[in-house]
Amino acid sequence: MLTAVSLFTGCGGSDFGLHQAGIQVRFANDILPYARDVYLANLPETDYQVCDISNIRDFPAADILVGCYPCQGFSQGGARKADRKVNYLYRHFVRALKAIKPKAFVVENVSGMQRADFSHLLKSQITLFRLCGYRVTYEIMNSADYGTPQERKRIIIVGLRSDIGERFEFPEPTHGEGRTNDYVTIRQAIGDMPDWPEGEYWTESFHWYYLSRNRRRDWNELSKTIVSHPRHMPLHPISPALNRIHTDKWVWSEDKPARRFSFREASRLQGFPESMRFPETQNSSLREKYRIVGNAVPPQLFSSVAHKLKCYL
């Protein structure tokens, strides 16, 4: 069985995908205690350490290194500042890459990393990966094209160690018009769940910024991108439609109750299984549940890459 080390792991979206591909995760790391709590409630066999990655000096051997380092500096929903320290956490990933020397690595981050004002950071990463001895390719992938019921575009960077002698080719999309499967809709993902799950959705009022754009999709559509901040979570289809007044203002079409997706609905829309467990611990606030779900990698997206990667190893 192939093995992996997972860094900047969160609650384990990438690692669910690795498990689906039959890859054993030996070691995982993040700084969020509740991410660890949820991870181990669902994937208990991994050695998961909660600490700053800069404090990790020894990494276990593995065939694959995966990393989803924080994206706030690149994200459309984040600060979008190229000089933020968080933008340079990839250097710790490079440190682990040099130490482990795996056969392959996979990096996931927001698609905004390829924007012109951040392109120097993307180029720096790729250069460092190549200097470590890897043939590197990258592509923008939409998780909806691989079975996730939401639109979520992410950059995936894959490296194969040079002695393998091949360059990774990304898997073909499996879902969407003209493909083997139709897109998975909101109804298919959460249609069996209660309309008003008390205590599981954010009840704060809809401020002017929230209503500066249309955050609602209907039952038979893909969800908008699931986010980590509960105030900005997309609307559940039970909410009335929004009508555009002008560029940055939308209003309700009807005077009816509206709500955001609950954290459990967001989990399913991210592609986590119905059996996903969220234990009640000292770290388990509602905000933290939204946070770890919204920051996760859709397992189906990572699984598709991992299955293809196994063909080279």
Side-chain angles (χ1 to χ4, degrees):
M1 178 180 288
L2 293 172
T3 59
V5 164
S6 173
L7 304 179
F8 309 98
T9 306
C11 68
S14 59
D15 297 15
F16 270 92
L18 292 171
H19 275 267
Q20 290 169 5
I23 297 169
Q24 178 189 6
V25 182
R26 298 191 61 197
F27 175 90
N29 163 256
D30 205 280
I31 60 171
L32 298 177
Y34 191 59
R36 183 269 319 274
D37 296 344
V38 171
Y39 185 108
L40 293 179
N42 295 278
L43 300 172
E45 296 181 0
T46 299
D47 175 14
Y48 193 119
Q49 294 190 16
V50 177
C51 64
D52 189 315
I53 192 172
S54 64
N55 295 325
I56 300 176
R57 291 290 172 260
D58 298 308
F59 299 94
D63 299 299
I64 304 168
L65 175 65
V66 304
C68 309
Y69 26 85
C71 61
Q72 292 92 333
F74 309 111
S75 173
Q76 287 288 89
R80 284 183 283 177
K81 294 181 179 179
D83 60 348
R84 291 190 69 189
K85 289 183 179 179
V86 72
N87 295 345
Y88 296 91
L89 286 173
Y90 67 85
R91 293 171 179 170
H92 287 289
F93 185 86
V94 172
R95 180 169 62 87
L97 192 63
K98 290 178 179 178
I100 301 171
K101 297 181 176 63
K103 297 175 183 177
F105 72 82
V106 185
V107 165
E108 180 267 359
N109 215 306
V110 294
S111 59
M113 188 185 286
Q114 68 168 356
R115 289 175 47 192
D117 44 349
F118 299 130
S119 61
H120 65 289
L121 292 172
L122 176 59
K123 290 176 182 176
S124 174
Q125 292 173 63
I126 292 173
T127 297
L128 289 174
F129 296 152
R130 287 173 174 162
L131 289 173
C132 287
Y134 291 83
R135 295 186 178 183
V136 182
T137 54
Y138 67 90
E139 187 169 300
I140 301 296
M141 302 177 74
N142 187 344
S143 64
D145 294 338
Y146 299 89
T148 305
Q150 68 163 307
E151 291 182 348
R152 192 180 190 88
K153 293 182 179 180
R154 291 294 185 266
I155 188 169
I156 305 293
I157 307 172
V158 179
L160 292 174
R161 207 169 59 200
S162 296
D163 60 346
I164 293 175
E166 296 192 64
R167 188 178 299 276
F168 182 77
E169 293 188 10
F170 283 85
E172 292 294 322
T174 54
H175 291 67
E177 186 176 352
R179 295 169 183 156
T180 305
N181 307 284
D182 294 330
Y183 283 129
V184 181
T185 66
I186 296 174
R187 186 182 300 280
Q188 289 172 297
I190 66 169
D192 63 323
M193 302 180 77
D195 289 343
W196 300 95
E198 185 175 351
E200 295 190 356
Y201 61 91
W202 201 252
T203 58
E204 186 175 339
S205 61
F206 300 102
H207 47 83
W208 68 267
Y209 181 76
Y210 189 92
L211 295 174
S212 67
R213 64 191 74 177
N214 185 6
R215 300 180 189 263
R216 182 185 179 278
R217 290 278 175 82
D218 214 338
W219 283 107
N220 61 347
E221 298 180 287
L222 289 163
S223 170
K224 288 179 174 288
T225 299
I226 296 301
V227 297
S228 61
H229 198 306
R231 292 179 68 191
H232 301 153
M233 182 62 62
L235 287 166
H236 190 285
I238 201 172
S239 307
L242 286 166
N243 294 330
R244 183 182 180 189
I245 300 300
H246 56 71
T247 303
D248 295 319
K249 185 174 182 179
W250 295 73
V251 297
W252 306 109
S253 61
E254 301 175 84
D255 185 18
K256 291 184 177 181
R259 72 167 176 89
R260 301 163 176 87
F261 286 123
S262 72
F263 76 88
R264 290 188 192 278
E265 291 162 344
S267 172
R268 285 211 201 169
L269 293 168
Q270 281 277 56
F272 286 105
E274 295 180 13
S275 60
M276 185 73 170
R277 297 179 60 205
F278 294 89
E280 295 300 323
T281 70
Q282 62 180 357
N283 308 307
S284 58
S285 67
L286 181 58
R287 183 185 294 273
E288 199 67 4
K289 289 172 181 175
Y290 271 111
R291 181 184 185 186
I292 63 162
V293 168
N295 281 334
V297 184
Q300 293 93 335
L301 179 62
F302 222 87
S303 175
S304 67
V305 174
H307 272 101
K308 187 67 179 288
L309 190 58
K310 288 177 66 176
C311 299
Y312 296 89
L313 307 182

